[in-house]
Amino acid sequence: QRFVKSLSFALCLGAAAATSSLAQAKTFRVAVGDGAGGTQHELGLKFSEELKARTNGQHDTQMFLNGQLGDEQATVNDAAMGLLDFSILAINNVTPFSPSVGVLTLPYMVQSLDDAVALTQGEVGQQLVDNTVRDAGVRIVGWAYSGFRVLTNSKQPVQSLSDLKALKVRVPNNEIMIDTYRAWGINPTPMAWSETFTGLQLGVVDGQDNPYITVYAMKFDEVQKYITNIRYLFSIEPLIMSEAVFQSQPDEVQQAILAAGKAATEHSARWLVEQEDKIKAELTSRGMVITEPANGEREWMDNAISKVWPKYYDKLGGKDNLNRILQSLGRDAI
Ligand code: MLT
């Protein structure tokens, strides 16, 4: 019994020491899934600048790009355990840990930057922040907006679902996205983000989807030739913080973090508008060929909505909840 008592005393001391060293941390470590020049990197730069300004230079960040601190999904676990301070990653890689954020990966839910801003910065976004703290032990403190995910591949122009059948396509380990490709008639290959460049390079898979800016930041133009301008998912990329680390900060530091995250979020929306067309043009100048999907993407959209949405009604709070969200975006109920 004495052993148990002294063990718990030691654990308490250890926890107190960990808490106080976290409270004094000046340079937070930030894992970043993508490479330099993408929306994740830009969000991190702005967040760091704002945090420094709001803490009189006391608090700063160090970013580790290109998945150096581990695959995006692994960083959620590390942050939940307090082993990592922050991570910037795609929302689709948070969904496995907090199912309600799946509303942001439901195909064709977000149809513009305005929809993305309204959802993340409004009531729905606040609910998702709370749910993610509860389910995953991480707090979303900012959002990057990266534009629509487009399909890239190394083999051929793709316009229709029958063209798609010729390809092996990598998807994140996200059940909604896997089901979307199934609704389009193929069985995609789930693969960690940190392995995707190599997978494309070695021909383990022929294609993948991600926004223009991400394709550029990851240098996918070196291993992919064709782009299909599908608009099934608008990529939203949160800055998440370990809830344990957040709670160990003094109130004024917590407030500075939240305010810096808000400022960086607003910057991200402006940056996307300034950059996306330039980056698209840069990719074509490097030899990538952009194709529009046949018939305005009708068959892609109809299949995804009719086959995928009903499967996720329960996980996403029910059909009525999705209808409320659609109506808040000024769209028709389903
Ligand atoms: C993925 O495809 O796994 C992510 O969307 C990649 C990213 O974080 O940019």
Side-chain angles (χ1 to χ4, degrees), residues 18-19 22-23 25 28 47 51 59 79-86 126 129-130 133 137-142 239-261:
T19 305
L22 288 171
F28 293 111
F47 175 74
L51 183 65
H59 289 73
M81 289 190 290
L83 301 174
L84 172 67
D85 302 318
F86 289 92
Q126 189 50 52
V129 170
D130 296 344
V133 170
V138 296
R139 177 175 294 266
I140 298 171
V141 299
L239 166 65
I240 61 170
M241 181 174 189
S242 162
E243 180 65 3
V245 177
F246 181 77
Q247 291 304 339
S248 71
Q249 300 304 309
D251 192 51
E252 64 277 13
V253 177
Q254 290 185 350
Q255 294 315 318
I257 289 168
L258 296 177

Side-chain angles (χ1 to χ4, degrees), residues 36-37 211-221 279 282-283 286:
Y212 287 110
I213 294 180
T214 310
V215 171
Y216 169 80
M218 298 306 289
K219 300 187 174 26
F220 281 176
D221 53 288
I279 285 177
E282 176 61 24
L283 290 173
R286 293 183 185 184

Side-chain angles (χ1 to χ4, degrees), residues 58-264:
Q58 292 255 303
H59 289 73
D60 198 354
T61 69
Q62 184 179 5
M63 276 191 277
F64 297 84
L65 297 170
N66 277 311
Q68 280 174 73
L69 296 187
D71 181 61
E72 289 192 357
Q73 293 195 1
T75 66
V76 180
N77 272 329
D78 288 349
M81 289 190 290
L83 301 174
L84 172 67
D85 302 318
F86 289 92
S87 175
I88 309 177
L89 72 174
I91 194 72
N92 48 268
N93 288 328
V94 181
T95 318
F97 304 92
S98 187
S100 68
V101 300
V103 75
L104 301 177
T105 50
L106 207 52
Y108 303 99
M109 168 59 95
V110 179
Q111 297 203 352
S112 62
L113 173 60
D114 286 347
D115 284 358
V117 168
L119 285 184
T120 51
Q121 295 183 38
E123 214 179 289
V124 173
Q126 189 50 52
Q127 189 69 55
L128 297 180
V129 170
D130 296 344
N131 293 351
T132 311
V133 170
R134 180 197 65 204
D135 302 338
V138 296
R139 177 175 294 266
I140 298 171
V141 299
W143 302 92
Y145 305 103
S146 302
F148 285 103
R149 295 174 76 106
V150 295
L151 176 70
T152 67
N153 85 88
S154 56
K155 277 183 131 176
Q156 61 176 42
V158 170
Q159 285 188 300
S160 64
L161 295 185
S162 69
D163 298 334
L164 184 67
K165 293 211 165 75
L167 303 181
K168 273 183 286 166
V169 179
R170 172 268 169 184
V171 280
N173 202 353
N174 172 304
E175 55 177 0
I176 302 180
M177 295 167 80
I178 294 171
D179 279 332
T180 302
Y181 276 89
R182 290 192 176 140
W184 289 337
I186 67 167
N187 227 345
T189 308
M191 187 181 281
W193 180 231
S194 52
E195 290 163 18
T196 303
F197 185 95
T198 314
L200 294 167
Q201 189 175 41
L202 299 178
V204 178
V205 284
D206 307 310
Q208 62 86 47
D209 70 65
N210 260 293
Y212 287 110
I213 294 180
T214 310
V215 171
Y216 169 80
M218 298 306 289
K219 300 187 174 26
F220 281 176
D221 53 288
E222 292 174 7
V223 290
Q224 300 278 268
K225 170 94 177 156
Y226 302 101
I227 295 181
T228 307
N229 199 14
I230 52 174
R231 297 161 68 86
Y232 84 113
L233 266 194
F234 188 100
S235 188
I236 296 175
E237 319 219 37
L239 166 65
I240 61 170
M241 181 174 189
S242 162
E243 180 65 3
V245 177
F246 181 77
Q247 291 304 339
S248 71
Q249 300 304 309
D251 192 51
E252 64 277 13
V253 177
Q254 290 185 350
Q255 294 315 318
I257 289 168
L258 296 177
K262 190 165 185 303

Side-chain angles (χ1 to χ4, degrees), residues 40-52:
Q40 295 184 356
H41 184 207
E42 186 66 23
L43 182 80
L45 290 171
K46 188 67 181 173
F47 175 74
S48 188
E49 178 193 316
E50 293 283 337
L51 183 65
K52 248 196 277 180

